[in-house]
Amino acid sequence: MRLRTKFSFFAILILVIALLGMSVILFIFEKKHLLQTMREGQVNTIKGLAEVCKEAIISEDDLLLMNYIKVVKRTTGVIYAMFVDDEGKVVVHTDTNLLGYVYRDSIGIKAQSSEDLLIQSYKGREGGELIDVSLPVLLGEGRLGTARVGFSKVVLNRIVEDTLSLTRRRILVVTGVAFSFGIFGAFILAQLMSRPIRKLTEGAKSIGQGNLEQKILVKSRDELGDLAGEFNRMAKKLKELDQMKDDFVSSVSHELRSPLTSIKGYVDFILRGKAGPLNKKLIEYLTIVKNNTSRLGMFINDILDLAKIEAKRFELGKEALELSPFIEEMVTFFQPQAEEGKIQLETAVPTSISLVSADSDKLRQVFTNLLSNAFKFTPEGGKITIEAKNAGSGSFVEIAIKDTGVGIAEKDVQKVFDKFQQVKSSGSKVKRVKGTGLGLAIVRGIVEAHGGRIWVESELNKGSNFIFTLPKA
């Protein structure tokens, strides 16, 4: 089954369920509303009769009561209306033959003994179901009698059925029209959705066959448009990489960094909402793209730095540098990470420490790599310490970054500064850390380019101590 057919089928299915659900809800609501309206009408009728009865008694106007009884009798569904005095004797009735009659049946007795509105159902003399609504007529604290109105349940049910039948027809008409428009809309939407997906499929197949000139033309500003853009950028990147493969070292700086900068720029542009409104999911995806772009950029920078180091083309801008404020700056930078991981970050730098001759940017890179590794491999509740002291030879300053992390096995200590080496820590209390395996190789290259050296002292499950030296200024 093709995607367009599936989409249309499920869209129509959802539409049918929604329309059926709405129709049932509307029908039930209309029925409840109709029954409630009828009940309110019955209550209003008996209240009106009771009020007229009280006024007629007070004013001794029997004609007023008799005329109102006739009006009530003309109300749809009303079978009888009456007023009985406190002794149960009929004072006025729509059937004049019952004047003076005393009701002794259970319905009449309950109506006359009730102190509030009372609604009762019973079968009349002719077998039809009736609803008797009664209300006491009060004057002050005294009871003058009881007003009663009888409604035919058959007539009322017929009115309800007629009204609901009309409602059903209206709902069917509206549902039919909505269903027709819904089907039309589902097919249009399925076509609009499947067309760019089909273009993506064809374009991906062409790119997979090596046609890197292929451009996927999807102009929609949504996930499909973004995916098409990523395919196009991927094709462009593959083409660039194909052109670069014979001259990688000489052109890598420009050819790798430029596309990444472009991607990051466009992602930042989209994340700022310049290309249109974004939903929460799209922001999440674009943030992932942005983070991974930055990570890839850092990896490329590591490769380039390492290539420069190995080619002896690593340039340093040395200057006389005060270690104490520099180390405090690094502590400030990593303090949020320490607080998040509940790790204690301390320094032990004497005020008498000598100035060092170093490139501040490159030294910052050394500290960042070493401290990042320390945080990665130190569990919650651990401690990281930065120490500095004048080396015994007198011409160097010795800096150490200690941690109470998982440590390094003795057999792996000699490999930590090799390229693409990542030491595995078994039984660790920290999460497994992924990386490029270039960080410590670059650190060693930078330290040695300064004329110093670096080594590590470590014991498994007790921690590591990375020590390096820098020449004094």
Side-chain angles (χ1 to χ4, degrees), residues 80 82 84 88 101-125 128-135 143 146-151:
Y80 62 82
M82 72 179 88
V84 297
Y101 181 79
V102 178
Y103 280 92
R104 302 296 184 188
D105 58 305
S106 61
I107 299 298
I109 293 172
K110 288 181 181 179
Q112 292 160 30
S113 61
S114 175
E115 296 181 357
D116 202 350
L117 178 71
L118 180 65
I119 299 176
Q120 305 177 81
S121 296
Y122 69 101
K123 285 192 176 183
R125 296 177 181 177
E129 286 193 46
L130 301 177
I131 298 174
D132 183 273
V133 182
S134 61
L135 185 69
R143 181 167 183 155
T146 305
R148 294 174 58 187
V149 178
F151 295 87

Side-chain angles (χ1 to χ4, degrees), residues 289-318:
V289 173
K290 178 180 177 180
N291 292 340
N292 281 279
T293 302
S294 300
R295 183 183 174 196
L296 184 57
M298 292 172 60
F299 176 64
I300 292 170
N301 289 335
D302 286 348
I303 292 176
L304 292 174
D305 286 343
L306 197 59
K308 289 178 182 178
I309 290 170
E310 292 179 341
K312 308 298 182 184
R313 293 188 289 108
F314 199 66
E315 298 178 357
L316 297 174
K318 291 185 179 182

Side-chain angles (χ1 to χ4, degrees), residues 23 41 66 89 143 161 168 214 244 278 294 303 373 377 382 397:
S23 299
M66 292 177 64
K89 183 179 179 181
R143 181 167 183 155
E161 285 300 323
R168 275 194 294 267
Q214 174 70 37
M244 287 160 49
L278 302 174
S294 300
I303 292 176
N373 281 346
F377 294 101
V397 171

Side-chain angles (χ1 to χ4, degrees), residues 51-66:
E51 188 65 27
V52 172
C53 288
K54 184 169 69 173
E55 291 180 9
I57 293 172
I58 293 172
S59 61
E60 297 181 354
D61 189 352
D62 294 338
L63 183 61
L64 171 65
L65 184 55
M66 292 177 64

Side-chain angles (χ1 to χ4, degrees), residues 224-363:
L224 293 176
D226 293 337
L227 183 59
E230 291 301 322
F231 266 112
N232 290 333
R233 281 189 285 272
M234 179 187 69
K236 180 181 178 182
K237 186 62 182 175
L238 288 173
K239 184 181 178 182
E240 291 173 352
L241 291 173
D242 188 62
Q243 293 173 350
M244 287 160 49
K245 64 182 180 182
D246 295 327
D247 195 19
F248 173 77
V249 175
S250 62
S251 63
V252 68
S253 177
H254 174 73
E255 296 294 335
L256 276 179
R257 284 176 176 172
S258 294
L260 284 175
T261 302
S262 176
I263 293 173
K264 189 174 183 298
Y266 274 110
V267 170
D268 287 335
F269 182 81
I270 297 171
L271 280 172
R272 289 197 301 270
K274 300 296 184 181
L278 302 174
N279 57 42
K280 187 177 180 181
K281 203 68 178 176
L282 189 55
I283 291 174
E284 178 184 349
Y285 290 158
L286 287 172
T287 303
I288 292 172
V289 173
K290 178 180 177 180
N291 292 340
N292 281 279
T293 302
S294 300
R295 183 183 174 196
L296 184 57
M298 292 172 60
F299 176 64
I300 292 170
N301 289 335
D302 286 348
I303 292 176
L304 292 174
D305 286 343
L306 197 59
K308 289 178 182 178
I309 290 170
E310 292 179 341
K312 308 298 182 184
R313 293 188 289 108
F314 199 66
E315 298 178 357
L316 297 174
K318 291 185 179 182
E319 58 180 333
L321 188 67
E322 290 186 46
L323 271 180
S324 184
F326 182 87
I327 290 174
E328 287 301 322
E329 177 189 336
M330 298 306 302
V331 169
T332 301
F333 180 79
F334 279 92
Q335 192 60 45
Q337 188 172 345
E339 292 175 357
E340 182 180 356
K342 297 181 181 178
I343 297 172
Q344 188 177 355
L345 181 58
E346 297 180 348
T347 61
V349 182
T351 56
S352 60
I353 195 74
S354 301
L355 299 177
V356 295
S357 176
D359 183 321
S360 60
D361 289 336
K362 302 305 179 185
L363 184 59

Side-chain angles (χ1 to χ4, degrees), residues 32-66:
K32 288 179 67 175
H33 177 71
L34 180 61
L35 292 175
Q36 183 179 354
T37 302
M38 293 185 70
R39 181 54 53 88
E40 289 174 356
Q42 294 169 7
V43 173
N44 291 334
T45 299
I46 193 63
K47 285 183 177 180
L49 177 59
E51 188 65 27
V52 172
C53 288
K54 184 169 69 173
E55 291 180 9
I57 293 172
I58 293 172
S59 61
E60 297 181 354
D61 189 352
D62 294 338
L63 183 61
L64 171 65
L65 184 55
M66 292 177 64

